[in-house]
Amino acid sequence: MRTWTLRGRIFALCLAAGLLLSGLGVVAAVTAANNNGHIDNLLDRVGPMRTSGEALNTALVNQETGIRGYAITGEDRTLEPYRRGRAAADEQIALIEGLLQPQDAEIRAAVELVKARAAKWRADVAEPLIETVRTQGPEAAQQRFDGSDTRDFDQLRQAVDDMQNRIIVLRAASADAARDSSQTMVVIEIAAAVIILITGVLLLLLLDRLVSRPILHLAGQVRQVAAGDYEKHIDTSSYGSPDLAGLAEDVDRMRRQIASELSEVRMARQQVEWINQQLQSQAEELTRSNRDLEQFAYVASHDLQEPLRKVASFCQLLQRRYAGQLDERADQYIGFAVDGASRMQRLINDLLAFSRIGRLTSGFTDVDLNKVLDDVRSQLETRAGEDAEISWDRLPTVEGEEPLLTTLFANLIGNSLKFRRPDVPPVVRVTATVEDREWKVNVRDNGIGIEAEFADKVFVIFQRLHARDAYEGTGIGLAIVKKIVEYHGGRVWLDVDVPEGASIWFTLPVMPGMELPEPEPADMEETTA
């Protein structure tokens, strides 16, 4: 039984109860049919036979009365009760015989006896008396009637009473059988109720023992685990049903899995906390190191300014005073010194500008990029020349530091003007589109362009792609551009899929709460220099 599942036990209990109830149902059906048969026998046969017996007795009495009156009066009309009684007796006997069944042998014998004695009484008494009245007159008939014996009629009445008694016995037997059938039906109903009650009680006990109590016990253990006792072993031996034993085993397996994963999580958390501490320490060290480096670069740059100015000034004095007085090699050396000092000053100034980005801040404000482009165009007007074309579509207003954004566009457009193609007027175009809550700004030119292999190298500080004698500069301009863009929360990259020239993209966040425009070509405003 311990291997039976809960479903199997309930099914077996319900099947047993169903079989018992089905058997009782069959017995009840048979009993009900018998009961109906007994009741039908009482109502449709015994009752009518008994009524016909009473009517037969009355018909016989009417015959005897008619014969007596006819013997007294001799009038033919007084014989009418005899005739009607005889017809009624034949009719009632026919009715009784029609209601008889093969098992009613005693009643049938009694009916035959009544018929025989009735025929004998008519043959021995009634018919001779009628004949005497008709032939000899009433006086003779009266004398004969007074001297006749009444045993034949008394025997006829006795035969009718016997028949009635046998009908009453049949009626009593049918009533007893119907009563017994009814009692059997009551017993069957009580038995069915008892079976249903016992089945319900057994089902409740089964559910309580195999479901309710085990589930409550399992729930108590689960609550202990849920309260934090993950090492609590869930007992699976106290469950009688394999279903709940399997459920308890699954829950315990889940508990073990959770405990194992929780242990791993705890170890991972400890490792993460340790790593976070290390990262925090390294971040603090890196912040301190960066701060020291920035301070060192700032101080060193300031400290180098004065001696560099002196070196440059005295080299320039030597060049002006002794130019042409020394040999050609001396003039060349002096020129190298002047150029080196000048390049060193520019390099230090650019390095100072790079270090100031994000460190010396004036705070973000709303900056109209159209105004910024106007300022940049004014600054680069001398370098651009009359043949340069700098154009832009209507640009957005963003949050940022206007001086840094001005430096951003000045470096980008300045590079486009610097790296122009020989004998080709420079063309620089600035456009802006919005995508995913970001402004994407593009600066495109028709210059010599940048090879795809240098797409990442150009934004690294002090990286140059050309010799110093080919293009002037310190190689820090695009590094400053990248730092300014990242300081404003954007990103910058080189578009290498252009047929000619250079195309640089960068993004700036859209101002919070700003309704994004729907760009239409007809609304685009272009400014050309």
Side-chain angles (χ1 to χ4, degrees):
M1 286 291 291
R2 292 185 63 87
T3 60
W4 283 33
T5 63
L6 178 62
R7 178 182 296 177
R9 299 184 188 196
I10 294 177
F11 178 77
L13 177 62
C14 293
L15 179 62
L19 291 176
L20 290 176
L21 291 176
S22 299
L24 287 177
V26 172
V27 174
V30 173
T31 304
N34 291 334
N35 187 51
N36 291 334
H38 296 315
I39 293 175
D40 291 341
N41 190 45
L42 282 172
L43 297 178
D44 298 336
R45 280 196 333 113
V46 179
M49 281 194 297
R50 189 167 180 273
T51 303
S52 295
E54 296 292 339
L56 174 61
N57 190 37
T58 302
L60 293 175
V61 172
N62 288 338
Q63 292 181 49
E64 197 271 340
T65 302
I67 289 298
R68 186 184 296 275
Y70 183 65
I72 294 172
T73 62
E75 296 179 1
D76 189 64
R77 61 181 180 81
T78 58
L79 195 58
E80 187 63 28
Y82 169 76
R83 297 191 185 99
R84 287 199 303 269
R86 185 174 180 177
D90 294 339
E91 181 182 357
Q92 297 304 321
I93 289 174
L95 287 175
I96 293 173
E97 289 179 337
L99 294 173
L100 291 176
Q101 292 182 355
Q103 66 270 22
D104 301 328
E106 293 183 355
I107 300 176
R108 187 180 301 276
V111 171
E112 292 298 327
L113 181 60
V114 169
K115 289 169 61 179
R117 290 185 177 180
K120 184 177 183 303
W121 176 79
R122 284 194 296 270
D124 294 344
V125 177
E127 293 300 331
L129 188 60
I130 293 173
E131 184 64 25
T132 299
V133 172
R134 289 177 179 173
T135 58
Q136 300 178 14
E139 292 81 3
Q142 183 65 33
Q143 292 176 359
R144 183 174 182 173
F145 185 80
D146 291 338
S148 64
D149 192 357
T150 61
R151 286 183 302 171
D152 290 338
F153 191 77
D154 293 338
Q155 290 177 353
L156 175 60
R157 294 284 301 272
Q158 183 62 42
V160 173
D161 291 339
D162 290 341
M163 183 190 69
Q164 286 289 81
N165 289 334
R166 294 183 185 280
I167 293 175
I168 291 173
V169 170
L170 177 61
R171 178 178 178 277
S174 299
D176 291 340
R179 190 178 302 107
D180 292 340
S181 299
S182 300
Q183 292 176 353
T184 304
M185 287 294 296
V186 172
V187 172
I188 291 174
E189 292 175 357
I190 294 174
V194 170
I195 291 174
I196 294 173
L197 180 61
I198 293 175
T199 303
V201 171
L202 291 177
L203 185 59
L204 289 176
L205 292 176
L206 185 66
L207 292 177
D208 179 67
R209 183 175 179 273
L210 298 181
V211 178
S212 299
R213 282 188 290 177
I215 286 180
L216 291 176
H217 182 252
L218 178 61
Q221 297 183 87
V222 171
R223 280 193 292 270
Q224 285 183 271
V225 175
D229 187 6
Y230 298 106
E231 301 302 325
K232 165 70 177 175
H233 174 70
I234 294 180
D235 181 23
T236 61
S237 61
S238 60
Y239 302 104
S241 171
D243 307 82
L244 291 179
L247 175 61
E249 180 63 30
D250 292 339
V251 173
D252 188 63
R253 189 180 301 111
M254 181 178 64
R255 189 269 311 165
R256 293 195 299 269
Q257 181 68 24
I258 292 174
S260 175
E261 293 182 357
L262 184 61
S263 177
E264 294 178 1
V265 168
R266 286 173 178 170
M267 293 178 61
R269 180 185 296 174
Q270 292 175 356
Q271 293 178 356
V272 169
E273 290 177 353
W274 182 82
I275 292 173
N276 286 338
Q277 292 176 357
Q278 297 298 317
L279 289 176
Q280 186 175 0
S281 300
Q282 292 178 4
E284 293 175 353
E285 181 65 26
L286 184 60
T287 302
R288 183 167 53 254
S289 176
N290 287 338
R291 186 168 58 248
D292 293 343
L293 288 175
E294 290 178 358
Q295 186 68 21
F296 171 78
Y298 184 74
V299 173
S301 300
H302 276 77
D303 291 345
L304 288 174
Q305 291 288 344
E306 181 60 24
L308 275 175
R309 279 196 295 268
K310 287 184 179 181
V311 170
S313 298
F314 281 104
C315 287
Q316 291 171 359
L317 288 175
L318 286 173
Q319 190 178 37
R320 285 196 300 269
R321 176 171 294 185
Y322 296 103
Q325 298 181 17
L326 302 176
D327 57 11
E328 182 178 353
R329 186 176 295 277
D331 291 339
Q332 185 180 11
Y333 289 163
I334 292 173
F336 286 159
V338 171
D339 180 64
S342 299
R343 285 193 292 107
M344 189 65 180
Q345 282 184 322
R346 291 196 301 272
L347 186 60
I348 290 174
N349 289 332
D350 289 345
L351 185 60
L352 281 173
F354 184 82
S355 65
R356 289 190 184 104
I357 298 173
R359 187 168 57 86
L360 300 177
T361 176
S362 59
F364 280 17
T365 59
D366 295 347
V367 180
D368 185 0
L369 295 185
N370 298 285
K371 181 177 179 300
V372 170
L373 264 295
D374 284 333
D375 295 341
V376 171
R377 183 182 60 185
S378 299
Q379 295 177 14
L380 300 177
E381 188 173 0
T382 303
R383 291 178 55 186
E386 296 181 355
D387 59 344
E389 178 182 339
I390 302 174
S391 63
W392 62 89
D393 294 337
R394 189 172 63 185
L395 300 178
T397 299
V398 298
E399 279 190 339
E401 293 190 22
E402 186 171 349
L404 293 181
L405 294 176
T406 302
T407 302
L408 168 67
F409 281 103
N411 284 347
L412 290 175
I413 297 176
N415 275 356
S416 297
L417 297 175
K418 180 170 64 174
F419 296 102
R420 61 196 295 179
R421 285 186 294 171
D423 303 326
V424 176
V427 176
V428 183
R429 181 170 178 80
V430 182
T431 59
T433 59
V434 65
E435 182 179 327
D436 296 334
R437 301 295 299 177
E438 284 185 329
W439 288 108
K440 294 179 62 177
V441 183
N442 177 247
V443 179
R444 174 83 180 275
D445 61 49
N446 64 340
I448 62 175
I450 302 174
E451 298 294 334
E453 58 183 302
F454 303 117
D456 296 328
K457 187 177 180 181
V458 294
F459 296 105
V460 180
I461 191 171
F462 299 137
Q463 293 294 323
R464 296 177 56 88
L465 304 182
H466 305 279
R468 292 187 179 89
D469 55 353
Y471 295 97
E472 63 178 4
T474 59
I476 201 173
L478 290 181
I480 291 176
V481 167
K482 181 180 180 182
K483 191 169 183 181
I484 292 174
V485 171
E486 291 178 348
Y487 173 67
H488 284 79
R491 62 190 190 282
V492 62
W493 68 95
L494 176 68
D495 186 3
V496 296
D497 297 327
V498 291
E500 65 175 7
S503 176
I504 294 179
W505 288 89
F506 65 90
T507 63
L508 294 173
V510 175
M511 289 193 304
M514 178 179 180
E515 294 184 2
L516 299 179
E518 295 290 339
E520 297 180 4
D523 295 336
M524 303 301 286
E525 175 186 347
E526 184 178 283
T527 304
T528 304

